[in-house]
Amino acid sequence: VQTSAVMLGAYPLKISMNTNNANAYVTHYEYGASGGVWRIVNVNTAPVVTSVAFSQDSWGIAVTTDTVFVANNSGDTLTALRIVNGSFAVYKTLSLGAGSEPYDVELDASDTYLYVAEYGTNEISRLTLSTITNATPTVTTIASATDLGGPIGLASAPNGTLFVSGWDSNKISGLPVP
């Protein structure tokens, strides 16, 4: 049974809910135009949609209490949007390096680290969130191997294991996170 539906436009990709599950954030991809993020308020009652455009290839998304993180595949970047008084806007864009091709992002259970699946470099990077406003945030490569098989999706288990889906390897890998 469908509880509600919202018309968003072209190519919605990933959805992440905020901590109280009242708002959904959806990345979208637009061929030849700007993609970005839609914010859907009151998803279970009377949905209201707002959006911000910033990149053509917005794919993975993760949400903390006051920040939305988006992996931008073709731009090799990570965009951070700040949520203030019900509105959101881009406040930081981080370069992940040429050829990184980030497809997904995942927060750890304590919102201390953000993990990034970088398809182009076969790496999983970890960003320390407390350093996000620094000129050079702390980014560490926690896994780099061809057996990851083109990491494209991430999921975090309660025991601390980070699961990685490998597009090229056709397998799921479990990584213990440092």
Side-chain angles (χ1 to χ4, degrees):
V1 173
Q2 183 173 319
T3 59
S4 65
V6 178
M7 180 56 101
L8 295 177
Y11 312 111
L13 293 172
K14 298 239 1 193
I15 302 168
S16 187
M17 302 294 290
N18 67 346
T19 52
N20 64 6
N21 291 325
N23 301 322
Y25 297 86
V26 182
T27 56
H28 64 98
Y29 172 83
E30 294 274 348
Y31 290 110
S34 292
V37 174
W38 288 297
R39 177 176 181 253
I40 307 169
V41 179
N42 301 321
V43 292
N44 293 316
T45 55
V48 175
V49 178
T50 58
S51 66
V52 62
F54 53 83
S55 172
Q56 184 176 345
D57 283 345
S58 303
W59 286 74
I61 188 167
V63 180
T64 68
T65 306
D66 62 355
T67 308
V68 176
F69 297 97
V70 179
N72 302 303
N73 176 261
S74 67
D76 298 328
T77 62
L78 177 71
T79 300
L81 300 107
R82 188 64 76 188
I83 306 166
V84 179
N85 298 327
S87 297
F88 65 113
V90 174
Y91 86 95
K92 182 104 177 187
T93 299
L94 305 167
S95 174
L96 296 171
S100 61
E101 298 180 51
Y103 270 95
D104 205 4
V105 290
E106 179 74 15
L107 290 159
D108 71 343
S110 66
D111 287 351
T112 301
Y113 300 109
L114 181 74
Y115 297 95
V116 183
E118 298 179 22
Y119 176 84
T121 56
N122 273 313
E123 294 178 350
I124 304 300
S125 294
R126 181 181 74 190
L127 172 71
T128 304
L129 292 184
S130 63
T131 68
I132 190 76
T133 57
N134 296 355
T136 307
T138 304
V139 179
T140 307
T141 300
I142 65 159
S144 178
T146 55
D147 65 341
L148 288 175
I152 197 165
L154 299 172
S156 179
N159 71 357
T161 301
L162 183 67
F163 290 95
V164 181
S165 61
W167 181 267
D168 298 332
S169 67
N170 298 317
K171 67 180 180 180
I172 304 295
S173 301
L175 302 174
V177 252

